[in-house]
Each structure stands twice: as C-alpha cells, then as structure tokens.
Amino acid sequence: MCPMNCHPTLCGMHVALTDNNSIEVTPDQESPDSQGFLCSRGFAAAELYRNPQRILTPLSRSSRSESFSITNWSSAYESILASATNPERVAIWAGHGVFTNNYGSRFATQLLARFANHHGSLFWEPPIICWGLGAMGLAITGVTETVPKKEIEKNSDLILLWGADFSSQPTTARHVLNAQKRGAKLVSIDVRRTSTSAKCDHEYLIKPGTDTQLALSLIHVLIQTKQIDHQFIANYTVGFDQLAKHLQEFTPARAARETGISEQQLLDLAGLYGRAKSSAILLGGSSMHKGQNSWYASRAISCLPAITGNLSRPGAGLGPRHGGWPGGRALNTIADNERFAWSNRSSNQMDDLVQKMHEGEIDTLLLFGSNIVSSFADTNKLVQGLKRVPLIVSYDLFLNDGIRQFSDIVLPGTTWIEEVGCKGTEEHLILTEQLIEPEGESRSLFRVLTELAEKFNLSNFSPWSSTEEMINAVIQRPEKENITIESLRKNKGIQKLEIESIAHASKIYPTPSGKIEFLSERALQSGLPGLPTLPAAISETKQKINNYDIELTFGRELHNFHGFYDNGRALPMLKTKNAEPELHLSKNDANNKAINSGDRIRAFNDHGEFFAIAKISNNLPAGTAWVRDGWNNLNNLTSIERTVPTKALKDFNLAAGQSSFRATIDIERLNDS
C-alpha cells in the first residue's frame, strides 16, 4: 500500500527490490479499492529507499543554535528519562508520519495513547488538525456512518460534492463517475472551480465560510415547498418544529446576499435535492472546516438527509469522508484508556497545549512523525511556546523546519517497507509486509515505545512479543471475520471486512434519543447551540478581520501530502513540484492590488505573514484566496482560537478539539529587489 495516502483514499502498490539494489514501485492493478490508480506521490515513495537525506542515526545537540551531532540510542533514552521525571509535564503529539503503515487500523495512534495512559503523560489526538475539525457537527445531529462508495455507484441518483474534490478522494471518484454514467446527477458546491467541478452536471460557486448559510437556506426552502419526508421526520427525528421556526429567517434572498449564488440557483438546488430518491453527500475534509464554517457547516449539512428521508436507505446519506466509516467497520482499541483518564487532564484542544508551553508546564515534548510548526494554527504563538520547552524529541525520517528550529533529540524512524503493517480501507484490511531490514540505526515505533516503557518501568505496557501480535490485537474480530496477520498472508495479503451496505441501517442513531436530533439538548447542556445555526462570533476572529477583506481557503493537490518528507523536498520527484508555495487569487483581487501571475507577494494579517508566488485565477470568487495546505509558515496567518468548549468534547465523547484556523488577509506585491 502507498505510504502517502490518507483515509478515505488508500492506494495499492507493489514494491520490489531490483537487481541494482533500488526499489521499484508499480500500481496494484488488482487492488479492489484503487484498481491500478497511483499518483505521483505514490511513485515518489521509491525515493525513500537509500535517500541521502534520510536520518539514519539518533541525533542530539546541547543548544538549538548548534548543528546536530550523532549520538546513540542509549544516550537519547537517558536524556528523555532524565527530563520526563514528572509525567504530568510530558506531552505527546503525532502527525501523519507514523501512520503510513496503519491508516484505517490506527494502531500507531493507539500505541502512543497507550504509552501516555501507562506513563501518565499528556496525549493530544492527531485529528485536532484534520478530520476532527468537522466531527462535532455530525455527532450532534447523529449522522456518523458513511455510505460505502460501491453503494453510491449502484444506488445514488444525486451526489453532492460539498467541498469535496477528487484530488482528495481519487479512489472514490471512479464510483461517483460510474454513478453519473448510470444517470445520477453530480453537483459541486465549492469555493473554487476545479477539475472535479468541471465533471459535474451542476456547479455552485459560493463565498468562503457560507456553507452553513447555504445548508440552512436549503432546509428552509425544502420545508416551505413541502419537499420533506413527514413520516421519517415523525418517526426518527426530534426537534423538527423548533427547527422549522428557527429557519424562517433563512430565506433565499438572504442566502443570495451571503453566499454569492442567486435565489433561482438556490431554488434549483433545493429542487434537485428534494426530488432525489436516494441522494448522497460527499462532505469535504479538514479544509472545509478551517475558517468561518468551523463545525457549524457539518452540523447544518448533516440535517439535510434527515429532512428528506435520505438516510438509512441504499445509496443515501453521507458518503466516504476523512475519518468516517461505514457501519460495522470498527476495529479494536489497544489504547487502554480505562487505565488512566488522560482526557480529564488533557483537554485535547490545540490552544491548551500551546498555552501549557507558554506557561512553562511542559518539560518534555515528544513528537512522532510531525512537523508541528507547519501543522498547528498561529505559528508565531506556537513558536514562542516551543522556545519554553526544555526538551523536544522528534521521531522521523527526515529533518524538517520544525525539527531544525526546535528539536533537541532526533530519533530515526522506519519506512513502510522496513516494518510490518496493516492498512484498512472501508471494506478491506491489507497486510503490508516488511521488505527490507531497517536502514542504519532506524527503529520502528513499536520498538521505540516498548524500549522507552522498559526504561520507565511500565511493566504492563506491552503484553505482545512482536509487532504482529500487537496488530492482531487491533484487527482480530472473532465475532466476525477473525482476521489476523496469519490469515492475511494466506489470502494474498487482503481480506474483506463485514460492513453495513446501508448507513445507519438500524435507524437507531448515535444520540441520547436514538434519533436524528435537529434540536439537541445535549448540545445545549454542553454550551453549544441546540439547533443548527450560523457560526458564533468568535471574539479573536471578530477583532482581527476588520482590516482584511480576503478570505484564505485551503486544499490539497495530488503532488503533495501535507508537510510529509520535509514538504516533499526530500524526494526528487516531488521537489520540483513543491519548490515554493503558490497563492491563488481571483482576477478581481489581483487587479485591485496590481498583482500579476508570477509576482512574489506577501500575505499578511495581525497574526503574521506568508510569502508566495501569485497565481491569478478565474476559478475563484472575489475576496477569496486559495493555497495548498502544509506549507511552512502558512499558519502564521491562522487563528488558534478554539471553537468547541472542552466540556462538549467530553459530553460527546470526541477525541479531538477544534481550532478556528481562520485567516482573513491582505496581499501586497513585493518589489523586484
């Protein structure tokens, strides 16, 4: 499997050692999920092998102004042991770099959480920067299971790509386009025109951050035009009367003013959705929920299927999305959360970790596969906090800007072909065998945590004698398929999972009432709005947008994956495609600022500044800028302010908090000099 994927896109590949002692990567034509698709990132994975920039020995330095020197594992462990004497002053956070062999099984996240639970240290969930951003809205409504992509292909007659793009879900694209060939209509709702929207039957270009307004106005029109499923609403929802009254002000005229689409377009879209017998919505990933939308958009959008009865039927509901799974897909957990309630001491809010750094409450920060400097919002605030942490340890394959600036110890990790792993798509588990021995002195995450646990005398941390035993503890479901590493080997490395073909087939929804909750008493008790509504005015954001009139939006491109492998610069195939950031501007905004394509520009606001090359586009509405996420210094511009109270995370049993990530900016052309 490709090591540069992220759920819900996981692509099959074959890897082989060649006669000249290099590795060859080829697409897996028989993969039931990717069927021979492999993008440039996948092919570039071959360059991880014998890469001259690879970290192959432990590194350390006595001052962050100095260069790293080679050390040994024993000395590195002793330094960590000496610093981490008080577990409550130790924090752990991981990025995508340690998930390359376990997307869909998530044993790396669980292993790290388990270590924190046994040690007593603070653990921040990785999804605080990605799929966790929209989870709150879905949890409040109770629409959490996804429709399998094959079911969309067979049964959906309308598919809304709401902030979703095929560059994020290329393996879903085939099924969606096959549904279109069958007669299903495709609708794109996005803040920019893309190659995906060009394939759709209908396209709606909206202003950034107005998805919530659009969804609420759609519900208003559906109610007013009686395009709703009264029986489903009566039997399986609560709060409809309150919702209908609340939405009376969300008229088509208001939507036209706020979203940028016309009243007639709104009515047309409502008609399409209202007439559909089995509609699916593919909800955008983290990028959609960064900014003004926050989780409010997913809350409002997730009410649409229930209004029209497009839930719990074939091909209907919310389609594949980042962090979402079909019913019956859940695997086991080895996190051992019952042992130590870390959630009682760690809020899992991004700003809380940064604040603890600022206040000198963190002695040791352990970072696994992460460039925290390019991941967290409000980089400048983060940087000031990192300066106050006495010991920062990074486990990774390559140096990155965060490691270069702030790490004191660097531990060399293993690549996806140097360890055994298991990845999971929505309906398959796939074994990734170890092909070669770890290069240099690199060690697997399982080995590192097991050795650290021994140093800390955590005798019950690892009841497993090998990585394979640990993986079996996660994937084995005796009541269902009973898949193990051994059974995977007997079945050519792949086995099918038993999943529900219909999302929420039981019509018992994951809410206190067991129904879809238009009105949520639990949300009210948690300090959140009980009904879907527009985003609350966030104090910091409200203050800082006054002088800046361009809304910054984010997304993904196939030739890069967040900040992986030193922003792709460590891999020659990707380096030329990721030389420096491009900031896409509307023609209107560029003309107002006297900026041309290719100009060097500075984007700035009260948080900080970001430098890029201008790319003028006809695909953006005025007042909108777009940039691929993951660039170093991009989050100089974004807000770290939380949008979900910690009490709500606990009440809804959500692992990850949410920061705003909103950025309104001004732009100026830099002088040629």
Side-chain angles (χ1 to χ4, degrees), residues 505-550:
S506 68
K507 295 186 179 179
I508 300 173
Y509 301 94
T511 62
S513 66
K515 298 183 177 184
I516 296 298
E517 296 192 349
F518 299 132
L519 174 63
S520 170
E521 293 294 338
R522 180 169 57 169
L524 286 170
Q525 294 167 7
S526 301
L528 299 172
L531 292 164
T533 191
L534 294 177
I538 300 171
S539 59
E540 179 187 10
T541 302
K542 192 171 183 180
Q543 284 179 343
K544 301 207 175 202
I545 65 174
N546 293 333
N547 299 320
Y548 309 105
D549 55 3
I550 298 176

Side-chain angles (χ1 to χ4, degrees), residues 435-661:
L435 181 64
I436 60 173
E437 290 299 313
E439 284 193 71
E441 298 180 36
S442 59
R443 296 183 182 181
S444 69
L445 179 68
F446 176 77
R447 179 178 176 183
V448 169
L449 292 180
T450 300
E451 290 173 345
L452 276 175
E454 291 175 357
K455 295 288 184 182
F456 283 107
N457 295 317
L458 308 179
S459 57
N460 296 319
F461 168 70
S462 178
W464 316 286
S465 62
S466 67
T467 302
E468 293 186 15
E469 284 188 15
M470 180 267 296
I471 295 174
N472 281 341
V474 174
I475 66 174
Q476 196 166 5
R477 306 194 297 180
E479 74 285 0
K480 288 192 173 184
E481 320 87 353
N482 201 27
I483 297 174
T484 64
I485 296 293
E486 294 75 17
S487 70
L488 284 167
R489 288 194 173 115
K490 292 177 181 177
N491 288 275
K492 298 182 178 180
I494 184 169
Q495 284 185 260
K496 191 170 183 178
L497 291 163
E498 294 178 19
I499 62 170
E500 298 287 344
S501 61
I502 298 174
H504 297 293
S506 68
K507 295 186 179 179
I508 300 173
Y509 301 94
T511 62
S513 66
K515 298 183 177 184
I516 296 298
E517 296 192 349
F518 299 132
L519 174 63
S520 170
E521 293 294 338
R522 180 169 57 169
L524 286 170
Q525 294 167 7
S526 301
L528 299 172
L531 292 164
T533 191
L534 294 177
I538 300 171
S539 59
E540 179 187 10
T541 302
K542 192 171 183 180
Q543 284 179 343
K544 301 207 175 202
I545 65 174
N546 293 333
N547 299 320
Y548 309 105
D549 55 3
I550 298 176
E551 194 84 30
L552 184 61
T553 61
F554 312 90
R556 187 182 293 180
E557 294 175 322
L558 281 176
H559 59 258
N560 191 276
F561 187 44
H562 303 311
F564 257 40
Y565 309 128
D566 197 17
N567 274 103
R569 294 174 298 191
L571 306 182
M573 285 188 197
L574 300 183
K575 184 176 181 179
T576 55
K577 298 179 180 180
N578 296 280
E580 53 187 325
E582 289 183 335
L583 186 63
H584 296 235
L585 304 173
S586 72
K587 184 171 288 188
N588 181 74
D589 294 325
N591 289 339
N592 289 340
K593 303 292 182 180
I595 292 173
N596 298 309
S597 282
D599 286 346
R600 294 189 175 275
I601 56 175
R602 170 180 173 257
F604 61 95
N605 59 18
D606 290 349
H607 288 289
E609 60 185 8
F610 175 68
F611 298 93
I613 302 296
K615 187 169 184 178
I616 314 306
S617 172
N618 291 320
N619 298 324
L620 292 166
T624 307
W626 183 90
V627 65
R628 188 264 291 165
D629 73 357
W631 289 107
N632 289 312
N633 300 317
L634 175 58
N635 280 314
N636 286 352
L637 304 170
T638 58
S639 170
I640 199 172
E641 188 167 8
R642 69 178 64 178
T643 62
V644 176
T646 298
K647 183 179 187 306
L649 297 182
K650 295 178 180 178
D651 291 347
F652 283 86
N653 195 30
L654 292 177
Q658 179 170 355
S659 289
S660 165
F661 277 96

Side-chain angles (χ1 to χ4, degrees), residues 16-24 46 49-50:
L17 279 171
T18 66
D19 292 338
N20 61 358
N21 204 22
S22 62
I23 65 170
E24 181 180 63
Y49 182 60
R50 298 207 163 183

Side-chain angles (χ1 to χ4, degrees), residues 323-337:
W325 297 106
R329 170 59 174 73
L331 302 178
N332 305 316
T333 179
I334 56 171
D336 206 2
N337 289 332

